[in-house]
Amino acid sequence: MLTFDHYLTPKSLDEAFDVLQRMPAARLLAGATDLLPWAREGRAGDVHLPAVVDLSRIAALGGISQEGARIRIGATTPISALQRHPLLMQQAPVLGACALWFADDQIREQATVGGNLVNASPAGDTQPALLALNTHVTLVRREGDRLIERSVPLSEFILGPSRTMLQPGEILLRLEFDALPNHGVAFEKVGHRRSLAISTVCLATLVHLDASKRIDDLRIAIGAVGPVPERLTDIEDLLTGVTPTSAALREASVRVADRVRSRSRQSYRREVLSNFVERSLAAAIAHAGLDLPRIPKESQNV
Ligand SMILES: Cc1cc2nc3c(=O)[nH]c(=O)nc-3n(C[C@H](O)[C@H](O)[C@H](O)COP(=O)(O)OP(=O)(O)OC[C@H]3O[C@@H](n4cnc5c(N)ncnc54)[C@H](O)[C@@H]3O)c2cc1C
């Protein structure tokens, strides 16, 4: 059970940092969809906190905007906005594809994109999609009267299960990446059930074809098969500059089995990952404007 002495709702970053200065053991909270189950299910035993700092009313942590070629998403943006916000639907559609697989309507309204990253679950669904977008996260702290921001690549931010670069007294402010309106996208996920299930394998693919239908930009990121999400850079290198064919996608897909590092359900995960790589490449390439015939495959799982 989670109990606390104070529930605080600061309206600005300065108010939030005032609380953290007064009560360094206070815990930040956004949508509480990780924090509450963590305490309620006894995973942390009974938790008593001096204060909980609800970040949801701080305007600086919200909002979705475009600055030149860059898209900015505030940390407390709910997952539902990834699915519905017109700017993201147009400029980063892989996030909508990811949000579709994220829990259900109720959780998507409550859960935030910042909370999903800070929680750093190996099965966090936004991680592969944001990694494929080459996302940088901006962290903010206060020194004296000054707010100091630092920006780090998402690939460095998540250090391991439940571990990030976030320092005590720091708040995740926003995410930033380049708008990619002309990339074909795909997102794949399998869990024990379609949604409301933690991922066993998830994967995001972004592809851009040049005027001759050659792949000139490919990003594939996987989650839930190891301690941190990762890019399949070898597959990206293999297929960049290539005119895609069904055979080339099949060849790429058989190379990925050794990327599964989770020990549980390993052979299942390997087969699913291989199938997902092939299927998501075909789907993203089709989304980018080139339909490839599918080569039939015997499969026990997908
Ligand atoms: C029924 C159910 C289904 C779920 N399904 C999925 C799913 O399909 N896919 C998936 O990926 N996840 C799923 N989750 C997990 C959860 O919804 C996400 O991880 C969510 O995005 C966390 O965001 P939150 O705002 O609720 O975080 P919170 O629980 O409020 O916070 C999580 C952690 O992040 C910290 N934190 C939050 N915001 C900030 C910030 N701005 N700066 C610094 N620290 C911060 C908090 O202190 C806490 O440690 C599910 C959860 C439930 C209960």
Side-chain angles (χ1 to χ4, degrees), residues 4 33 98 113 115 126 170 175 183 187 191 208 216 228 237 243 269 273 275 298 300:
F4 40 82
T33 63
C98 159
V113 63
T126 63
E170 253 182 338
L175 326 178
H183 279 59
F187 187 85
H208 188 263
D216 64 1
V228 292
D237 293 345
T243 303
R269 282 184 150 112
L273 181 61
N275 288 340
E298 287 282 316
Q300 292 169 348

Side-chain angles (χ1 to χ4, degrees), residues 3-212:
T3 53
F4 40 82
D5 296 327
H6 303 281
Y7 188 93
L8 301 155
T9 53
K11 310 282 184 306
S12 68
L13 281 172
D14 264 322
E15 278 183 38
F17 285 119
D18 286 344
V19 177
L20 292 176
Q21 204 170 339
R22 274 200 325 273
M23 291 182 269
R27 184 77 185 255
L28 301 175
L29 172 152
T33 63
D34 280 321
L35 207 56
L36 281 180
W38 166 75
R40 197 188 314 126
E41 288 163 18
R43 277 179 272 165
D46 283 338
V47 180
H48 183 79
L49 299 169
V52 167
V53 184
D54 181 340
L55 299 172
S56 62
R57 300 192 195 166
I58 302 177
L61 293 176
I64 298 174
S65 61
Q66 183 162 6
E67 317 263 329
R70 301 287 279 173
I71 304 288
R72 290 177 154 200
I73 303 180
T76 56
T77 298
I79 302 295
S80 57
L82 305 185
Q83 205 178 348
R84 287 201 302 255
H85 195 284
L87 185 64
L88 300 183
M89 287 164 70
Q90 206 197 357
Q91 309 283 12
V94 71
L95 294 178
C98 159
L100 191 66
W101 286 94
F102 196 109
D104 62 6
D105 285 345
Q106 212 180 351
I107 297 288
R108 282 196 287 261
E109 289 297 334
Q110 190 75 21
T112 67
V113 63
N116 197 243
L117 295 183
V118 174
N119 193 48
S121 159
D125 284 328
T126 63
Q127 296 170 19
L130 290 167
L131 200 59
L133 286 164
N134 289 338
T135 298
H136 279 59
V137 298
T138 301
L139 313 175
V140 61
R141 66 183 188 282
R142 191 171 68 181
E143 282 181 12
D145 286 345
R146 290 174 55 226
L147 294 178
I148 314 270
E149 294 183 11
R150 65 179 175 129
S151 170
V152 290
L154 179 59
S155 54
E156 292 171 21
F157 177 67
I158 296 176
L159 302 174
S162 307
R163 287 192 307 121
T164 69
M165 283 175 67
L166 198 74
Q167 294 294 312
E170 253 182 338
I171 294 175
L172 174 55
L173 184 57
R174 64 172 176 268
L175 326 178
E176 246 185 82
F177 51 81
D178 279 342
L180 295 177
N182 300 316
H183 279 59
V185 305
F187 187 85
E188 301 276 359
K189 165 175 172 175
V190 67
H192 292 292
R193 284 174 287 150
R194 182 188 176 279
S195 63
L196 286 177
I198 57 164
S199 286
T200 310
V201 181
C202 64
L203 181 148
T205 301
L206 275 83
V207 67
H208 188 263
L209 303 177
D210 67 16
S212 318

Side-chain angles (χ1 to χ4, degrees), residues 239-252:
L239 293 174
T240 301
V242 165
T243 303
T245 61
S246 304
L249 305 196
R250 174 66 51 85
E251 191 198 327

